[in-house]
Amino acid sequence: MQNLTNPAWIKGKGILFLLLGLLSAALLFFERPTLRVAVLLLVVVWSFCRFYYFAFYVLYCALFRLNREVFDAPRFNLAGA
């Protein structure tokens, strides 16, 4: 399988992932619409975002023995990551 290089397809794929996530969260919430379920959904999303950061930023630097300065260039805005 080839890498996806067309910007329009990349954006389309991102939009489909966003829609899939929103639809899944909505279906889960509307199955049992309580504050607890809403908070748990938020915690799940937040924790997976943090894991994504860990897996592709921390581990990538550790595995390839990269300096953090590689990602601290002004063109990368990772301050809140």
Side-chain angles (χ1 to χ4, degrees):
M1 179 174 272
Q2 295 178 348
N3 286 336
L4 193 58
T5 57
N6 185 334
W9 282 103
I10 293 171
K11 291 174 186 172
K13 183 179 174 182
I15 290 170
L16 286 175
F17 278 128
L18 176 65
L19 292 175
L20 180 66
L22 290 173
L23 178 65
S24 298
L27 289 173
L28 283 171
F29 179 71
F30 289 128
E31 185 173 326
R32 188 176 294 241
T34 63
L35 181 60
R36 180 179 181 196
V37 171
V39 170
L40 288 174
L41 281 171
L42 290 174
V43 169
V44 166
V45 170
W46 177 81
S47 61
F48 274 112
C49 289
R50 296 304 297 169
F51 177 74
Y52 179 87
Y53 161 79
F54 174 76
F56 292 103
Y57 181 68
V58 176
L59 290 181
Y60 182 81
C61 288
L63 289 175
F64 295 103
R65 301 194 190 287
L66 293 176
N67 233 340
R68 284 191 51 168
E69 288 78 24
V70 170
F71 293 103
D72 289 339
R75 61 190 168 113
F76 294 112
N77 186 8
L78 299 173

